[in-house]
């Protein structure tokens, strides 16, 4: 039975209430609270019963046939919600807004929150990872992009050029799980996000009109970013329906402040997860994450994905890592203290939103307790950021919240004795009355002579006197016993005195629970006053936690402090791949990576399995480590600050969009060529291998020449086209290096050592032999190889370097100062006044040229 086919006039009042609520949440599965269960009906029930493997039943709702229904217990609903969310559904939690005991007729119900992939705020989300929800606002000529972690309160925004590929690259690089888009967006973007990247996309044109959250974007001059943020905030507030004033002021992300790379580089370098298992273990994040707090781990991941370009700030981090390594005793004390700090950012989020419990406040108290000692260490190491110690808040929590408080707020036992006189008196009455019950049992036994008489209690009948069937004849009328309940082997009675005490006990316990809840809510309101100060302190704790992790990793692995220079010089002496070095059992063979002022391209040759790809990856990873403020796996490291990294490593067909390896190669090569500057780092691994030999070799040579003549980026280019090594004669900034191997008695040994010069021999058949292909097959391959070598089919490589008939636009030798000035700016990062001033000065420069 479908909901759309139902005659609503025949429905019961409760089901009509459900239908009206469902009308407003068509795209959600509604968890509809009925007593102790959340129920689902109609299509929701059919879908949920299949996805969650629940029993599908039916409910009488006034129709001729029963309405499809399934349900889950309200106390265990979160695991079911998690499963639905992980599979891409939205869940609307519909609660009873009134106490059924106090209402005549049907209770009022409504949705209190919508739970989606990006708006979860519960404790079940990964503590070491941010859970961002993002939005794209299409301005037709560019995109506004903002994103927020509702659980921590962090909010970011940026502008992206109006190119569909660029906005999708930005979304996938950040790993956003849920995207909101405005209704004028190109539907191609929506389709690609949904089908190619399995991202939950919601289309809405609504924007926040209230000024209640204006502080988030108040100081931002760019009205496009403000509009983008209002679009995102409307969706978040509409879904969460609670107090979200823990959301912080928006940080405007300027691309020039960070080392840029796309999702392919993130994946190829295995920065936060491995390619094979998509697992954190054996990634760079896994290696560096010696953080002691969840906040520190999240901050580390953010920095790995957003390395800095500010040399002064990077050096500031180096100074602190170096100091922590020197002051290792203080560092160990700091580590011990950090281990006592819970996830302050998310605790604060729950305080504001209101879904916290007493355990959360205990965690907050224990975290605050160690802050004074951390502040003392900050003073000793002269850390340049300050934290609050919240002594008053600690004292409040210490004297109020019971250490053994339950998770539920409606069971009592939340508040310590001595905080509230009324509560203490109620507890005394309740406790004294219970003592009276024990005394009464003894008194009644003596009065009646019934040895096995018991005074008991249950929630259905309250307090009672129980006498076994064999002893009931001893009960006399003057005892005043009134029969309450008959059991198989006993009778239960009540007396006026017992009834009076029952009213006192139960009345006191209800008042205790109600009063404790009220006091708890009052304490929560006091804690809310400290939210923004707690968030600032959390940021400082996150950073020092990350820096101590850098210090520990650097000490354990003998990393060195990089030297950042303004010259375009890259000198990494005895560089290692940090993860491979840690994991491998044998000794790691370190290699030098040197590109001085006269060298921009390293052309790397050598056999498969010799370590070319690892050699290239370790260069990029070293750059990233250096630009997040960590020491690096080298004996000596001198390098510039790079602005972008581009990689094409490994072959992987884009099966989803139906693109071949070669097409993917060419697209990624084009992306690098179009976006790279002379301050970028490019890594191309065997580019051109996805097509016919001469096509691939020709393209590889042309790309090398283009990078050499026009882009001048620092580039590592590995190849099996040994013919390309002759380019060293004509391309003055290209240098040949090779990964060496030794062949003895038909056996090859890979030395994994990079040496100057080129090799002209491949060891493909040797690698095949190592892979244990049949010996007869290997022998046949050698015979065929000898034939080809005798025919000498290798053609002379065309080494003339003036291959490009450059148009006026491309001709780098005729640089136009106006054009160069335009290239240097990013219009998306300029305020309107800066743009007008730039245009005015540009016009003056043009007049001078004429």
């Amino acid at each position: 039975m479908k909901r759309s086919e139902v005659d609503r006039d025949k429905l019961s009042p409760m089901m009509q209430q459900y239908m009206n609520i469902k009308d407003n949440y068509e795209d959600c599965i509604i968890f509809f609270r009925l007593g102790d269960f959340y129920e689902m009906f109609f299509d929701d029930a059919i879908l949920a019963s299949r996805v969650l493997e629940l029993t599908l039943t039916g409910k009488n709702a006034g129709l001729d046939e029963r309405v499809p229904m399934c349900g889950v217990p309200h106390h265990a609903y979160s695991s079911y919600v998690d499963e639905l969310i992980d599979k891409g559904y939205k869940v609307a939690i519909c609660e009873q807004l009134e106490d059924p005991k106090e209402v005549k007729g049907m209770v009022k119900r409504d949705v209190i929150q919508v739970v989606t992939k990006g708006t979860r705020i519960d404790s079940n989300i990964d503590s070491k990872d941010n859970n961002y929800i993002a939005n794209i606002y299409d301005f037709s000529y560019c995109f506004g992009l903002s994103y927020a972690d509702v659980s921590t309160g962090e909010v970011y925004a940026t502008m992206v050029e109006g190119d569909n590929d660029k906005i999708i690259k930005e979304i996938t690089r950040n790993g956003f799980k849920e995207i909101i888009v405005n209704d004028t967006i190109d539907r191609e973007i929506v389709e690609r996000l949904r089908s190619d990247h399995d991202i939950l996309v919601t289309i809405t044109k609504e924007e926040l009109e209230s000024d209640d959250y204006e502080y988030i974007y108040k100081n931002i001059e760019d009205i496009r970013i403000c509009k983008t943020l209002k679009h995102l905030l409307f969706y978040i507030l509409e879904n969460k329906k609670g107090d979200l004033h823990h959301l912080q002021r928006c940080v405007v992300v300027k691309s020039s402040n960070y080392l840029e790379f796309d999702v392919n580089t993130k994946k190829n370098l295995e920065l936060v997860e491995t390619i094979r298992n998509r697992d954190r273990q054996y990634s760079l994040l896994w290696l560096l994450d010696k953080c002691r707090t969840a906040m520190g781990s999240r901050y580390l991941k953010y920095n790995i994905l957003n390395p800095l370009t500010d040399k002064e700030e990077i050096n500031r981090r180096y100074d602190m890592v170096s100091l922590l390594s020197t002051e290792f005793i203080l560092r160990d004390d700091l580590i011990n203290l950090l281990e006592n700090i819970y996830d302050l950012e998310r605790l604060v989020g729950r305080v504001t939103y209101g879904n916290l419990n007493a355990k959360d406040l205990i965690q907050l108290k224990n975290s605050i307790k160690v802050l004074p000692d951390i502040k003392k260490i900050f003073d000793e190491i002269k850390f340049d950021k300050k934290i609050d110690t919240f002594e008053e808040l600690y004292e409040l929590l210490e004297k109020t919240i019971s250490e053994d408080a339950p998770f539920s707020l409606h069971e009592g036992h939340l508040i310590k004795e001595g905080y509230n006189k009324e509560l203490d008196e109620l507890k005394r009455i309740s406790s004294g009355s219970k003592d009276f019950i024990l005394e009464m049992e003894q008194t009644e036994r003596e009065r009646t002579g019934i040895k096995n008489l018991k005074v008991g209690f249950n929630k259905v009948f309250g307090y009672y006197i129980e006498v076994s069937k064999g002893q009931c004849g001893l009960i006399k009328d003057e005892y005043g016993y009134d029969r309450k309940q008959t059991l198989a082997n006993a009778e239960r009675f009540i007396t006026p005195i017992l009834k009076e005490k029952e009213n006192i006990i139960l009345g006191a316990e209800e008042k205790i629970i109600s009063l404790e809840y009220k006091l708890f809510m009052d304490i929560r309101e006091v804690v809310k006053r400290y939210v923004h100060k707690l968030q600032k302190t959390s940021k400082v704790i996150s950073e020092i936690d990350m820096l101590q992790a850098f210090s520990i990793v650097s000490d354990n692995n003998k990393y060195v402090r990089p030297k950042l220079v303004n010259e375009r010089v890259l000198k990494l002496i005895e560089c290692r791949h940090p993860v491979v070095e840690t994991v491998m059992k044998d000794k790691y063979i370190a290699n030098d990576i040197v590109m001085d002022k006269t060298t921009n391209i390293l052309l790397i040759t050598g056999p498969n399995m010799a370590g070319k790809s690892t050699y290239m990856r370790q260069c990029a990873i070293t750059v990233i480590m250096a630009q997040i403020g960590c020491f690096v796996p080298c004996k000596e490291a001198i390098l510039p600050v790079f602005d972008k990294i581009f990689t094409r490593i490994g072959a992987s067909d884009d099966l989803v969009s139906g693109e071949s390896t070669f097409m993917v190669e060419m697209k990624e090569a084009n992306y690098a060529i179009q976006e790279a500057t002379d301050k970028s780092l490019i890594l191309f691994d065997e580019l051109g291998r996805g097509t016919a030999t001469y096509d691939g070799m020709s393209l590889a040579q042309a790309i090398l020449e283009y990078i050499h003549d026009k882009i001048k980026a620092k580039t590592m280019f590995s190849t099996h086209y040994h013919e390309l090594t002759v380019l060293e004669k004509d391309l003055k900034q290209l240098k040949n290096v090779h990964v060496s191997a030794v062949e003895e008695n038909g056996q090859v040994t890979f030395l994994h050592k990079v040496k100057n010069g080129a090799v002209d021999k491949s060891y493909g058949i040797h690698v095949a032999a190592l892979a244990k292909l049949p010996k007869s097959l290997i022998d046949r391959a050698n015979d065929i190889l000898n034939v080809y070598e005798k025919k000498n089919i290798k053609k002379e490589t065309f080494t003339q370097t003036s291959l490009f008939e450059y148009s006026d636009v491309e001709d780098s030798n005729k640089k136009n100062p106006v054009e160069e000035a335009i290239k240097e700016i990013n219009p998306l990062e300029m305020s309107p006044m800066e743009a007008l001033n730039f245009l005015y000065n540009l016009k003056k420069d043009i007049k001078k040229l004429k």
Side-chain angles (χ1 to χ4, degrees):
M1 181 190 300
K2 292 185 178 179
R3 190 170 62 91
S4 58
E5 300 169 350
V6 169
D7 183 352
R8 296 196 178 195
D9 293 335
K10 294 181 179 180
L11 289 173
S12 64
M14 187 279 291
M15 192 54 68
Q16 286 183 353
Q17 183 188 52
Y18 167 82
M19 297 288 270
N20 292 335
I21 292 171
K22 179 66 179 176
D23 288 342
N24 297 321
Y25 297 93
E26 293 279 359
D27 62 341
C28 301
I29 296 173
I30 292 189
F31 274 38
F32 192 77
R33 181 70 178 270
L34 288 178
D36 290 336
F37 281 81
Y38 284 111
E39 304 288 3
M40 288 153 275
F41 302 104
F42 295 105
D43 299 347
D44 286 0
I46 295 169
L47 174 64
S49 65
R50 187 181 71 248
V51 174
L52 301 175
E53 298 182 358
L54 300 173
T55 301
L56 184 66
T57 62
K59 182 176 179 64
N60 292 321
L63 303 174
D64 295 336
E65 59 180 300
R66 288 157 65 87
V67 168
M69 180 181 80
C70 68
V72 297
H74 84 279
H75 62 273
Y77 80 98
S78 59
S79 61
Y80 296 102
V81 172
D82 290 343
E83 191 170 347
L84 288 170
I85 297 306
D86 289 340
K87 291 180 178 177
Y89 299 102
K90 298 180 181 181
V91 177
I93 309 297
C94 181
E95 275 291 353
Q96 297 173 172
L97 304 181
E98 300 171 312
D99 188 342
K101 297 176 184 176
E102 300 174 0
V103 178
K104 290 183 178 180
M106 188 171 61
V107 299
K108 186 186 295 184
R109 295 180 178 86
D110 205 351
V111 171
I112 61 165
Q113 67 164 317
V114 176
V115 187
T116 64
K117 277 188 177 182
T119 60
R120 295 169 69 179
I121 201 169
D122 52 74
S123 57
N124 293 331
I125 49 180
D126 187 351
S127 64
K128 293 191 173 185
D129 205 356
N130 280 103
N131 188 49
Y132 290 119
I133 180 171
N135 77 315
I136 306 169
Y137 201 100
D138 189 348
F139 290 99
S140 73
Y141 63 93
C142 68
F143 298 103
L145 172 66
S146 64
Y147 48 102
D149 185 334
V150 183
S151 66
T152 66
E154 297 162 280
V155 182
Y156 301 92
T158 189
M159 299 301 298
V160 179
E161 291 179 35
D163 179 277
N164 289 4
D165 287 336
K166 285 187 177 178
I167 189 66
I168 289 174
K169 280 180 182 289
E170 191 65 19
I171 295 296
T172 53
R173 185 184 77 85
N174 285 283
F176 299 137
K177 297 172 183 175
E178 182 177 5
I179 304 291
I180 317 304
V181 298
N182 64 327
D183 57 338
T184 60
I185 198 166
D186 185 345
R187 290 303 190 269
E188 184 212 351
I189 295 175
V190 175
E191 185 57 34
R192 286 173 63 183
L193 290 174
R194 284 175 175 167
S195 59
D196 296 355
H197 303 288
D198 192 28
I199 294 173
L200 178 63
V201 182
T202 303
I203 303 172
T204 177
K205 64 179 180 181
E206 301 294 340
E207 297 174 30
L208 186 67
E209 295 181 358
S210 166
D211 295 334
D212 201 22
Y213 290 85
E214 186 183 17
Y215 71 92
I216 294 174
Y217 51 83
K218 188 174 182 180
N219 297 324
I220 298 173
E221 293 182 2
D222 194 327
I223 58 173
R224 299 169 301 179
I225 290 180
C226 294
K227 194 173 185 67
T228 303
L229 284 165
K230 288 179 181 179
H231 182 243
L232 177 64
L233 288 170
F234 177 87
Y235 181 85
I236 294 173
L237 292 165
E238 184 69 15
N239 281 312
K240 299 314 291 179
K241 298 182 183 296
D243 186 355
L244 294 176
H245 280 90
H246 68 289
L247 292 176
Q248 302 167 38
R249 287 183 177 179
C250 175
V251 175
V252 178
V253 178
K254 293 188 176 181
S255 59
S256 57
N257 293 342
Y258 301 97
L259 172 63
E260 293 183 67
F261 50 80
D262 67 3
V263 68
N264 294 311
T265 299
K266 170 184 166 183
K267 182 172 69 174
N268 289 334
L269 298 180
E270 300 186 308
L271 296 180
V272 296
E273 64 180 21
T274 57
I275 295 174
R276 176 176 293 181
N277 298 325
R278 301 200 66 181
D279 190 7
R280 180 189 179 98
Q281 190 172 16
Y282 304 134
S283 66
L284 178 63
L285 176 61
W286 164 80
L287 176 74
L288 297 181
D289 192 2
K290 300 295 182 280
C291 298
R292 306 295 165 156
T293 68
M295 303 175 295
S297 294
R298 289 196 299 269
Y299 189 65
L300 170 61
K301 182 176 180 181
Y302 178 83
N303 276 270
I304 289 175
L305 296 179
N306 299 275
L308 304 175
T309 56
D310 183 342
K311 190 163 77 169
E312 186 176 333
E313 175 61 19
I314 297 170
N315 275 312
R316 175 191 156 272
R317 290 184 179 181
Y318 291 161
D319 290 342
M320 190 49 57
V321 172
S322 181
L323 180 60
L324 287 169
S325 293
T326 304
E327 300 286 350
F328 55 88
I329 296 176
L330 284 174
R331 182 187 66 189
D332 290 346
D333 292 341
L334 175 64
I335 288 170
N336 291 331
L337 292 168
L338 289 173
E339 286 179 341
N340 292 293
I341 294 184
Y342 292 85
D343 197 341
L344 280 177
E345 288 180 323
R346 286 185 170 157
L347 284 174
V348 163
R350 292 202 286 275
V351 165
T352 305
Y353 186 64
N355 63 331
L356 83 162
N357 56 41
K359 299 290 186 186
D360 293 328
L361 289 187
I362 293 295
Q363 290 183 359
L364 179 60
K365 183 192 76 173
N366 292 336
S367 300
I368 293 172
K369 184 178 181 180
V370 300
L371 292 180
D373 291 330
I374 290 178
K375 189 173 187 295
K376 288 179 185 176
I377 293 177
F378 280 9
D379 292 338
E380 288 191 58
I381 63 175
K382 295 182 171 57
F383 191 51
D384 57 0
K385 295 186 179 179
K386 305 297 180 186
I387 59 171
D388 285 309
T389 51
F390 306 101
E391 281 92 346
E392 291 181 3
L393 180 55
Y394 175 78
E395 288 174 11
L396 172 66
L397 297 176
E398 172 63 18
K399 70 182 181 183
T400 57
I401 306 299
S402 176
E403 297 290 343
D404 57 351
F407 285 99
S408 171
L409 300 181
H410 301 284
E411 295 178 14
H413 309 292
L414 300 175
I415 307 299
K416 284 182 177 179
E417 190 175 341
Y419 176 63
N420 182 275
K421 288 183 180 179
E422 182 184 355
L423 180 62
D424 291 345
E425 180 63 20
L426 287 169
K427 286 183 176 179
R428 188 190 63 77
I429 291 171
S430 177
S431 175
S433 299
K434 288 176 182 177
D435 291 339
F436 168 81
I437 297 299
L438 295 175
E439 291 172 8
M440 184 176 183
E441 186 176 278
Q442 185 61 34
T443 301
E444 288 300 304
R445 284 178 178 178
E446 292 174 0
R447 182 161 79 102
T448 63
I450 302 172
K451 301 292 186 188
N452 62 359
L453 178 148
K454 291 189 296 187
V455 178
F457 171 81
N458 65 39
K459 290 184 179 180
V460 177
F461 293 103
Y463 286 92
Y464 55 81
I465 296 171
E466 184 174 295
V467 179
S468 66
K469 285 280 178 74
Q471 300 291 309
C472 284
L474 299 176
I475 298 173
K476 300 176 181 178
D477 291 343
E478 60 263 29
Y479 295 162
Y481 280 24
D482 290 329
R483 196 181 305 277
K484 181 97 171 180
Q485 184 187 13
T486 300
L487 303 177
N489 56 357
E491 297 283 349
R492 288 176 177 175
F493 303 89
I494 190 76
T495 68
I497 295 174
L498 192 59
K499 190 68 179 173
E500 181 185 342
K501 287 298 179 181
E502 176 183 284
N503 291 335
I504 293 172
I505 294 168
L506 297 182
E509 288 181 353
E510 284 184 12
K511 287 178 181 177
I512 287 169
I513 290 171
S514 176
L515 181 56
E516 286 203 344
Y517 181 78
K518 179 183 179 301
L519 292 172
F520 183 86
M521 290 295 106
D522 291 342
I523 294 164
R524 194 199 89 182
E525 289 303 312
V526 174
V527 176
K528 281 173 71 173
R529 300 174 200 161
Y530 295 87
V531 161
H532 292 295
K533 286 186 177 180
L534 283 165
Q535 287 175 327
K536 287 180 181 177
T537 293
S538 299
K539 289 292 182 193
V540 179
I541 295 295
S542 301
E543 184 183 27
I544 198 66
D545 194 14
M546 179 183 76
L547 295 176
Q548 70 78 19
F550 290 167
S551 172
I552 291 288
V553 173
S554 299
D555 286 356
N556 290 346
N557 298 288
K558 296 182 172 57
Y559 296 165
V560 299
R561 175 173 179 156
K563 181 181 179 183
L564 301 180
V565 294
N566 295 323
E567 296 82 18
R568 296 183 63 253
V569 174
L570 179 67
K571 184 180 181 183
L572 307 178
I573 304 301
E574 294 188 19
C575 180
R576 295 109 59 195
H577 190 297
V579 179
V580 176
E581 176 191 38
T582 303
V583 172
M584 71 183 298
K585 297 175 182 177
D586 301 327
K587 183 182 177 184
Y588 188 89
I589 306 299
N591 281 298
D592 298 346
I593 304 173
V594 179
M595 285 187 265
D596 56 22
K597 293 179 183 178
T598 62
T599 305
N600 285 334
I601 301 174
L602 290 183
L603 184 62
I604 310 163
T605 50
N608 285 321
M609 289 180 59
K612 299 191 299 297
S613 296
T614 302
Y615 180 64
M616 297 168 73
R617 284 189 176 99
Q618 70 192 40
C619 175
I621 288 175
T622 299
V623 167
I624 288 170
M625 288 175 67
Q627 290 188 218
I628 64 175
C630 184
F631 289 6
V632 295
C634 302
K635 187 175 181 180
E636 180 188 0
I638 300 171
L639 63 164
V641 174
F642 288 94
D643 64 350
K644 300 172 185 176
I645 294 179
F646 304 91
T647 67
R648 172 59 197 174
I649 300 174
S652 57
D653 291 11
D654 189 350
L655 298 176
V656 174
S657 61
E659 292 182 343
S660 67
T661 299
F662 185 65
M663 175 58 82
V664 174
E665 274 189 355
M666 290 302 103
K667 280 192 169 185
E668 291 180 13
N670 180 57
Y671 175 64
I673 288 167
Q674 297 294 335
E675 300 293 326
T677 72
D678 61 354
K679 296 177 182 176
S680 301
L681 176 65
I682 300 175
L683 308 179
F684 282 158
D685 187 18
E686 298 182 33
L687 198 65
R689 63 183 165 183
T691 187
T693 303
Y694 296 121
D695 276 355
M697 188 168 65
S698 302
L699 279 166
Q701 179 174 338
I703 288 169
L704 280 168
E705 291 171 353
Y706 192 94
I707 293 172
H708 181 276
D709 295 342
K710 284 187 63 66
I711 302 174
K712 303 184 186 303
K714 295 293 184 187
T715 304
M716 301 179 77
F717 195 110
S718 74
T719 185
H720 279 298
Y721 300 132
H722 300 130
E723 296 87 347
L724 295 178
T725 57
V726 300
L727 291 173
E728 187 179 51
K729 298 175 184 176
D730 298 292
L731 303 183
K732 302 303 179 187
Q733 293 178 331
L734 181 147
K735 180 181 177 182
N736 284 321
V737 295
H738 70 278
V739 188
S740 56
V742 174
E743 185 181 357
E744 289 184 81
N745 302 321
Q747 299 293 318
V748 66
T749 303
F750 301 117
L751 301 180
H752 304 292
K753 194 69 182 174
V754 177
K755 299 180 179 179
N756 291 331
V759 294
D760 60 359
K761 182 170 183 178
S762 181
Y763 293 88
I765 295 176
H766 294 85
V767 173
L770 289 174
K772 299 190 184 323
L773 266 69
K775 185 177 184 303
S776 59
L777 186 154
I778 299 297
D779 293 341
R780 176 60 181 154
N782 276 313
D783 293 341
I784 295 170
L785 178 63
N786 289 332
V787 172
Y788 279 128
E789 286 177 340
K790 286 176 182 176
K791 286 184 177 179
N792 193 21
I793 63 170
K794 295 180 183 178
K795 306 288 185 182
E796 182 182 351
T797 306
F798 188 64
T799 58
Q800 178 183 342
T801 57
S802 57
L803 295 176
F804 302 101
E805 295 180 3
Y806 297 126
S807 66
D808 291 340
V809 177
E810 284 187 307
D811 192 349
S812 60
N813 296 322
K814 297 179 181 178
K815 290 185 178 178
N816 184 314
V818 174
E819 183 183 340
E820 293 301 311
I822 293 172
K823 285 180 180 177
E824 288 296 317
I825 61 104
N826 184 345
L828 297 181
E829 294 181 357
M830 300 175 77
S831 68
M833 184 56 69
E834 288 171 338
L836 284 171
N837 288 334
F838 178 78
L839 192 60
Y840 176 76
N841 292 327
L842 206 61
K843 192 171 181 181
K844 286 201 303 184
D845 292 342
I846 291 171
K847 285 182 179 179
K848 289 178 185 177
L849 288 173
K850 290 181 178 178

